[in-house]
Amino acid sequence: MSSTNYKSRNQPPNNRQLLILLGIFAGFTIGIIWLIGWIASSIVWLIPPSLEQQLGLVIVPIFESQAKPSAAQNTLNELLDRLEAQLPPQQRQNRDYKVLYIPEDTVNALAIPGDRIIIYAGLVKRAQSENELMMVLGHELGHFANRDHLRSLGRAVVVQIAIAYFVGDIGTIGSIAVSGVESLSNAQFSQSQESQADEVGLTLLQQAYGHVAGATDFFARMSKQALDIDFLATHPAPARRVKEIQQLIKQRNYKVDQKLPLPPTLP
Ligand SMILES: [Zn+2]
């Protein structure tokens, strides 16, 4: 006769039951995390340009204090204007994209709420043609088109901003937004976010020049760099991206013509 016959109903749960409970709890937790992620990534599409401008009012000055009005910044803005003119009308409406050029050796570029693209001198110095720099700018415009600039504030911050906005608690939005500034500079995008931004960049490059020379140059160079470059942390998997861009160029039958040198006003 086995001992199980004497089991009482009030016996503590055995290992198997504990494992099941643990599994249910883990599943529930993963579900909640997934749900918050899904809400945050869907809610960014509901944030209107007017709210973005409000976020910009508190976020942009933080970066502006490090930027320097300069010939280089003006040139980068002229380049950006040429790409912006190629955006579909619905992406240009109520927008005024501008570059903030920060004269630091950091190799990075980022899109932030308030229609600003932050470009560090370290990135410009590593570019070798106007075309590849245009591709980087176009890629950042792609992050705006896909609303990644809002997602990079962090899920919790995005959800809090949206709640404050929809319940009319406008006064707290500024301080919530500031709490997301740190994650803006450290945002790590997924490969699919990067691919989508590349696609926008490539399309804009083709429209601006009538060909796509230089489209992969910057990312190809980055893929051969040491891993501690900020650009690689925020924009991962450059080698894979180069391949994907090349495939897209083939599929769309884009021409590859002469590249232009960098404008002399750039460092
Ligand atoms: Zn990117």
Side-chain angles (χ1 to χ4, degrees), residues 139-140 143 189 194 197 234-235 241:
H139 173 93
E140 295 306 321
H143 279 310
F189 294 129
E194 286 302 275
T234 54
H235 305 73
R241 291 172 55 199

Side-chain angles (χ1 to χ4, degrees):
M1 197 185 278
S2 89
S3 61
T4 49
N5 289 357
Y6 299 102
K7 230 182 199 172
S8 128
R9 275 172 193 271
N10 297 321
Q11 226 176 339
N14 61 29
N15 284 349
R16 197 180 127 82
Q17 286 167 320
L18 273 176
L19 268 176
I20 291 171
L21 271 175
L22 210 65
I24 291 171
F25 181 72
F28 185 73
T29 311
I30 291 168
I32 293 284
I33 292 171
W34 180 86
L35 187 69
I36 292 174
W38 181 82
I39 291 172
S41 77
S42 311
I43 226 165
V44 291
W45 295 101
L46 301 176
I47 292 179
S50 60
L51 175 53
E52 277 195 50
Q53 278 152 16
Q54 230 177 308
L55 301 178
L57 285 179
V58 291
I59 293 173
V60 171
I62 296 170
F63 288 91
E64 229 161 22
S65 63
Q66 310 162 54
K68 202 172 73 179
S70 58
Q73 184 169 280
N74 294 341
T75 303
L76 290 166
N77 273 306
E78 283 161 22
L79 295 178
L80 184 67
D81 285 346
R82 281 162 55 195
L83 291 173
E84 206 180 331
Q86 306 298 333
L87 283 172
Q90 71 272 20
Q91 280 176 35
R92 259 184 291 155
Q93 230 168 26
N94 302 317
R95 298 285 177 189
D96 183 23
Y97 294 112
K98 291 257 181 295
V99 171
L100 285 178
Y101 172 73
I102 301 185
E104 283 173 19
D105 275 336
T106 308
V107 182
N108 209 0
L110 42 133
I112 65 163
D115 299 345
R116 294 295 178 270
I117 294 175
I118 310 298
I119 302 228
Y120 290 92
L123 183 146
V124 178
K125 280 180 196 158
R126 281 166 202 249
Q128 292 179 5
S129 72
E130 182 185 289
N131 309 64
E132 67 179 84
L133 200 52
M134 286 286 258
M135 179 66 185
V136 172
L137 289 171
H139 173 93
E140 295 306 321
L141 285 175
H143 279 310
F144 282 112
N146 299 320
R147 316 228 102 200
D148 295 327
H149 63 301
L150 294 171
R151 290 193 184 95
S152 27
L153 285 167
R155 285 169 183 175
V157 172
V158 167
V159 172
Q160 282 177 66
I161 287 172
I163 291 172
Y165 178 74
F166 292 117
V167 303
D169 188 8
I170 306 296
T172 60
I173 287 176
S175 56
I176 302 170
V178 168
S179 71
V181 165
E182 185 111 356
S183 41
L184 275 179
S185 311
N186 303 316
Q188 168 138 31
F189 294 129
S190 70
Q191 287 189 9
S192 78
Q193 282 175 303
E194 286 302 275
S195 304
Q196 285 173 351
D198 282 339
E199 192 173 343
V200 173
L202 186 71
T203 308
L204 293 174
L205 198 68
Q206 164 70 20
Q207 286 168 340
Y209 291 103
H211 67 88
V212 294
T216 56
D217 290 3
F218 189 79
F219 311 127
R221 200 169 308 120
M222 284 301 107
S223 71
K224 296 186 185 100
Q225 296 289 325
L227 281 167
D228 60 351
I229 282 188
D230 291 304
F231 187 83
L232 294 177
T234 54
H235 305 73
R240 188 178 149 158
R241 291 172 55 199
V242 167
K243 268 195 192 153
E244 286 182 359
I245 296 170
Q246 282 164 344
Q247 277 170 2
L248 219 65
I249 294 172
K250 251 193 188 166
Q251 272 171 24
R252 296 184 176 178
N253 260 320
Y254 284 160
K255 268 196 306 182
V256 176
D257 214 327
Q258 291 286 336
K259 285 177 248 182
L260 294 170
L262 283 169
T265 40
L266 294 178

